[in-house]
Amino acid sequence: MADTYICETSYHLLITLVKVLLAPSKEYKLILLTGDTLGQDIIDRLETSRLFTSITKLNGLHKYDAMLDYSAPFVIRGRSLKKQVEKYVKWDYTPSDDYYLYNDISMIGKWFNAEKIRYHLIEDGLDTLTLPSVHSNNYPESKWKRKLRMLFNAGFYSFGESKFTSSIEVNDKEGLQFDIKGKNIIEVPRKQLFDGLGVADKEKILSIYLSDSEKMDIMVKLQVATTTKNLNDSNSVSLLLTQPLGFDKITSYEMHEEFYKDIVDKYVEGQLIIKPHPRDDFDYSKLFPEAVVIGYPFLPVEALGFLPGVTFNKAITWCSTSINGISFCDNKVYLGIDYRNLST
C-alpha cells in the first residue's frame, strides 16, 4: 500500500516533496495533473530523484470541466454526471493506496466523488479554506440548496464538504469558511513542515525545481541586486509576488499593467525583485527594466528561501497567500482582494 499524491501546481508538488522527505520510509506514488504546468525538465528530474515508485501524468483533464452537462433532471443528474466523468477520466486506480488530493474540485476530484471513493484532502494553497472569496466564488447557492443537492448526489461538492473526504489537512483551523464541521480536520502548520527540513532536504528540493545553472543564475542576480544601490540610493530590496490577472481574464492585460505600476509606485522601496506566478505570462522586464525578474515561474516562492543568504526587506502582493509562508522577509504587505477595482 502506497501514499499516492495527486498534484496540479508547483506548490502542491512542494508540499508533497516536503512530506516525502520528512518520512522517507514509506512508499510514495505521484500523479501529476496537467504536467505542462511544471515543465518537462522538472518532471525529468523528479523521475531521476527516485523519491516516488511511480510517476503518472494525466494531462489535459482540466479542459473537460467546461464540457460537463448539468442539465439532466434532478433525480438522475448524479448518474448522468458519473457517466460523463467516466468518459473523460481514465486511469489505473489502485484500491489499496491512500490518495491525497490538493484540489478536489478538479476533474480527478469529481471522479473520486462520482465513484464514491474516499480520499484525503490537503489545502490547495496556504489558508485557502479560510478565504471568503474562495467560498463565494465556488458556492454562490444557498446552504440548504447545496445540502439538498449533496443528499441526492446531484452535483459535485468539494473543498472538504464531500462525504467521501476522509480527512482535511490545513495550515490553521481558525476561520475555516466551508461547511466541514465534524470532519477529521488535521492542523499541520506549514512553518512546522518547513522547519523540519535539513540542509540536504532543501538542496534535494531545489535540485528538482532548478538545474545547477539555473540555481546559479538566480543566486548571482540576487547577489547583485542586494549589494548594488539603485537609482534612489537605497539599500532596501523589495520582493513583488505577482498573480496572473490578465492570463486568468480577471482583468485585461492593459489593466494588469496599470495595476502593477500602481503597486510598484506606492509600495516598492529600493531594488525591485519580481517573482511571477507560474501562470503569469506578462513581460515584467519591459515594464520595469531596472527590476530583477526571477524567470523560473515553477519555482515556488517558499523554495526561493532555500537558497543561501536570501533575504528581503519587504514583500508585496495583491492577494497571494504564499506571502504568509515566507520567512526570509522583514515586512510583508498583503493588499487584499478589495484593493482597487479590477474591472476590464
Side-chain angles (χ1 to χ4, degrees):
M1 183 173 73
D3 285 355
T4 298
Y5 284 86
I6 301 177
C7 300
E8 191 168 7
T9 70
S10 58
Y11 177 79
H12 298 171
L13 178 60
L14 175 63
I15 298 301
T16 298
L17 291 172
V18 173
K19 287 177 172 290
V20 169
L21 288 168
L22 292 180
S25 60
K26 301 183 71 173
E27 180 186 351
Y28 297 99
K29 297 178 183 177
L30 180 64
I31 295 174
L32 297 174
L33 304 180
T34 59
D36 54 338
T37 61
L38 288 172
Q40 188 58 48
D41 288 345
I42 292 177
I43 294 173
D44 290 343
R45 292 192 288 265
L46 273 171
E47 291 174 340
T48 59
S49 72
R50 299 187 178 181
L51 292 174
F52 303 94
T53 57
S54 68
I55 299 176
T56 302
K57 291 177 286 186
L58 299 177
N59 292 332
L61 293 186
H62 60 286
K63 68 184 178 183
Y64 298 123
D65 264 315
M67 300 181 185
L68 292 177
D69 181 4
Y70 290 81
S71 65
F74 187 81
V75 293
I76 63 168
R77 191 176 303 160
R79 281 174 285 168
S80 170
L81 289 170
K82 182 176 184 294
K83 289 180 180 179
Q84 294 177 64
V85 171
E86 289 174 340
K87 173 184 175 183
Y88 297 131
V89 182
K90 300 181 185 297
W91 65 302
D92 295 327
Y93 167 71
T94 305
S96 60
D97 287 353
D98 284 327
Y99 286 87
Y100 293 83
L101 280 66
Y102 290 86
N103 183 358
D104 59 353
I105 202 169
S106 63
M107 278 299 293
I108 197 72
K110 289 179 172 68
W111 183 89
F112 272 89
N113 280 278
E115 300 298 318
K116 301 181 180 180
I117 295 171
R118 301 192 70 82
Y119 59 91
H120 304 276
L121 180 67
I122 302 175
E123 204 167 26
D124 179 47
L126 188 66
D127 295 324
T128 301
L129 297 182
T130 69
L131 299 177
S133 58
V134 173
H135 186 279
S136 60
N137 288 341
N138 288 282
Y139 289 147
E141 61 190 353
S142 66
K143 185 175 180 179
W144 72 266
K145 281 186 177 180
R146 193 160 73 251
K147 284 189 174 294
L148 186 63
R149 294 179 191 275
M150 289 176 70
L151 180 64
F152 288 95
N153 197 30
F156 298 108
Y157 295 90
S158 309
F159 301 100
E161 290 193 351
S162 168
K163 58 187 176 182
F164 303 110
T165 309
S166 296
S167 67
I168 307 166
E169 181 183 303
V170 298
N171 174 61
D172 189 345
K173 289 182 179 181
E174 294 297 320
L176 297 176
Q177 296 290 314
F178 292 82
D179 187 15
I180 51 180
K181 292 180 180 178
K183 296 273 189 176
N184 180 22
I185 302 174
I186 305 168
E187 185 178 84
V188 181
R190 281 355 188 190
K191 183 180 185 305
Q192 175 183 309
L193 272 182
F194 288 115
D195 285 349
L197 294 172
V199 174
D201 297 325
K202 294 177 181 179
E203 283 291 334
K204 185 74 171 179
I205 292 172
L206 283 173
S207 72
I208 289 172
Y209 283 104
L210 300 170
S211 67
D212 289 343
S213 61
E214 290 170 341
K215 183 169 67 172
M216 183 59 65
D217 178 56
I218 293 177
M219 292 178 66
V220 169
K221 286 179 178 178
L222 291 179
Q223 184 176 19
V224 171
T226 54
T227 57
T228 304
K229 293 184 179 182
N230 75 342
L231 296 176
N232 295 325
D233 197 35
S234 169
N235 284 322
S236 182
V237 180
S238 297
L239 174 67
L240 175 63
L241 306 179
T242 76
Q243 288 173 281
L245 308 180
F247 182 86
D248 284 351
K249 296 182 173 56
I250 295 173
T251 186
S252 66
Y253 278 95
E254 291 76 16
M255 180 66 77
H256 179 117
E257 177 176 329
E258 180 189 331
F259 183 74
Y260 278 108
K261 274 185 178 178
D262 176 68
I263 290 177
V264 168
D265 288 343
K266 289 181 179 177
Y267 296 99
V268 167
E269 298 175 11
Q271 176 65 54
L272 172 61
I273 311 291
I274 300 177
K275 173 63 180 71
H277 185 280
R279 291 197 311 278
D280 191 352
D281 59 354
F282 191 84
D283 187 353
Y284 292 97
S285 61
K286 289 185 178 179
L287 183 61
F288 304 111
E290 299 298 326
V292 173
V293 180
I294 299 175
Y296 305 99
F298 303 128
L299 178 70
V301 68
E302 294 88 349
L304 185 62
F306 295 170
L307 293 166
V310 172
T311 58
F312 301 97
N313 302 101
K314 178 186 280 190
I316 309 144
T317 187
W318 172 48
C319 62
S320 172
T321 58
S322 63
I323 195 173
N324 297 320
I326 61 177
S327 58
F328 45 90
C329 177
D330 299 329
N331 179 26
K332 300 175 185 179
V333 178
Y334 181 90
L335 299 173
I337 194 76
D338 295 326
Y339 180 79
R340 291 193 52 175
N341 179 18
L342 281 175
S343 63
T344 56

